[in-house]
Amino acid sequence: TIRMAILSKKLNEKREFWMKKIALFFLFVLFAVPLYAENAVEDAVVARVNETTLTMKDLEAGVDRLIPQMTFHKSVPEEKRKRYYKQALDDLIDRELIYQRAAAEGIKPDKEQVDAALQQYRKRFRTEEGFKADLERKGLTEEKLRSEVEKDYVVQALVTKSVIEPSMMSEEALKEYYEKNTSKFKQPESVKLKLVSAKDEAKAKEMLSKLKAGEDFGAVAYEMSEDSFRVKGGDIGYMHKGRVLPEIEDVAFKIKVGELSDLIKAGEIWYIIKVEDKKPERQMTFEEVKDRLKKDLEAKREKELKDKLNADLRAKAKIEVLLKAE
């Protein structure tokens, strides 16, 4: 059917997205040249997952997966790296358990995808000698490199099968959720405001006098206001209740469109507001919310299924953590 064709297309797009994400992520980890390698006891066992051992080298690579790319690892002190050890080890254990389940189910890596990822990595180097020197520096062989890439693809294949595919929602399911929860999709009453502010009451009174005399609000805001909205002529856009200071909110929802407030004091600052427009509460349509709703519900479902998968695998596994807590 047309609906199934659309779902199939979306699923393929999502699979392709995750495969590209794996390739880019893995290449990023490989490109990094962390400083720990010279000092860490790389072969020290930090955990055993069934019959598989995880070493300090694995753990440090796991830390590299967590540290933001912008740090380039080398600028991160050793003590800060250690803060990531527990999370990195948990991720490594979960990854290993998923890999073991995938292998037991006979899932194999896609040779074309693996070849493409490896080819992308090799293109980083001008010569074959440079490529091999980089592998040696990282303690890798070509066989080990391929094995790690294959492992990541196998892991993601099981995650796609057990988590991503079951989490996808059809438009009918989204609409059913929307119709059962229409109260969640109401756009609250809102006001469009312009605002000026000053710490000094005398200055605030001067601004109020100018505005009441008919001077342009934007010009007064730009020349005299003491907040970041001055560069926008005091325009802060539409705000609903709970999004502005209570003292301002109390006035904003009472005065009429086009009306100027008196001085409003909130904390140590004086404010003046002008209401530009008002919008009543309204029910948002399904078409307005469906894209965001789909993203939110699928993300929530993915997390639930991933957490359940990890918990189920851990419950049946023999896990021994040897890493000493810092």
Side-chain angles (χ1 to χ4, degrees), residues 36-246:
Y36 66 79
E38 295 178 1
N39 302 315
V41 183
E42 296 184 6
D43 293 331
V45 176
V46 295
R48 292 190 180 92
V49 183
N50 293 322
E51 302 302 319
T52 301
T53 59
L54 301 176
T55 67
M56 180 59 74
K57 185 177 181 180
D58 297 324
L59 179 61
E60 292 289 1
V63 171
D64 289 338
R65 296 172 186 245
L66 296 175
I67 295 178
Q69 181 173 349
M70 67 186 69
T71 64
F72 294 104
H73 308 310
K74 61 185 178 183
S75 63
V76 180
E78 183 180 355
E79 284 305 311
K80 185 173 181 180
R81 290 184 66 85
K82 289 181 179 179
R83 298 176 199 168
Y84 291 90
Y85 276 1
K86 185 180 185 305
Q87 184 182 349
L89 186 57
D90 284 341
D91 290 348
L92 284 173
I93 291 171
D94 289 334
R95 175 177 178 260
E96 180 59 35
L97 288 171
I98 292 173
Y99 174 73
Q100 291 178 14
R101 167 65 68 83
E105 292 185 9
I107 295 176
K108 304 292 184 182
D110 185 294
K111 184 177 183 302
E112 289 185 4
Q113 291 174 338
V114 173
D115 287 344
L118 292 172
Q119 185 61 29
Q120 187 177 352
Y121 179 55
R122 293 182 94 111
K123 285 181 180 178
R124 173 176 166 82
F125 306 95
R126 293 182 179 179
T127 65
E128 182 69 11
E129 290 74 18
F131 166 67
K132 291 183 176 179
D134 185 73
L135 291 183
E136 185 176 354
R137 186 166 64 252
K138 293 181 174 71
L140 292 169
T141 63
E142 290 189 52
E143 291 74 18
K144 176 65 174 175
L145 175 62
R146 172 172 284 276
S147 175
E148 286 300 310
V149 175
E150 288 177 343
K151 187 170 186 176
D152 274 337
Y153 275 109
V154 168
V155 166
Q156 190 54 46
L158 183 66
V159 171
T160 298
K161 173 186 172 183
S162 303
V163 176
I164 296 175
E165 290 180 5
S167 73
M168 294 191 70
M169 297 187 67
S170 66
E171 185 158 331
E172 288 85 349
L174 290 171
K175 197 162 189 176
E176 181 180 356
Y177 181 91
Y178 168 82
E179 290 173 350
K180 289 181 178 179
N181 297 275
T182 53
S183 61
K184 293 182 179 181
F185 306 105
K186 287 186 177 180
Q187 194 172 69
E189 178 187 6
S190 60
V191 292
K192 188 174 189 292
L193 300 177
K194 283 188 176 180
L195 170 150
V196 291
S197 66
K199 294 179 181 177
D200 180 67
E201 184 180 5
K203 184 177 180 181
K205 286 181 177 179
E206 183 183 356
M207 287 193 290
L208 182 60
S209 178
K210 287 176 179 288
L211 292 170
K212 284 185 173 181
E215 291 196 28
D216 180 70
F217 198 104
V220 172
Y222 186 78
E223 294 168 6
M224 300 183 68
S225 190
E226 298 175 0
D227 55 71
S228 61
F229 294 104
R230 59 179 289 277
V231 297
K232 299 173 66 177
D235 189 353
I236 65 173
Y238 284 95
M239 294 285 155
H240 59 74
K241 290 183 178 180
R243 296 295 299 274
V244 291
L245 293 170

Side-chain angles (χ1 to χ4, degrees), residues 3 6-7 10 168-178 286-287 290-291 293-294 298:
R3 184 174 70 84
I6 293 173
L7 281 175
K10 289 182 177 179
M168 294 191 70
M169 297 187 67
S170 66
E171 185 158 331
E172 288 85 349
L174 290 171
K175 197 162 189 176
E176 181 180 356
Y177 181 91
Y178 168 82
F286 173 69
E287 289 300 319
K290 73 174 183 179
D291 289 342
L293 181 60
K294 178 179 177 64
E298 288 185 351

Side-chain angles (χ1 to χ4, degrees), residues 264-281:
I264 303 169
K265 188 175 184 184
E268 300 300 316
I269 300 177
W270 297 88
Y271 297 91
I272 305 161
I273 62 171
K274 182 181 179 181
V275 175
E276 296 283 292
D277 188 26
K278 287 190 175 184
K279 290 182 178 180
E281 179 183 82

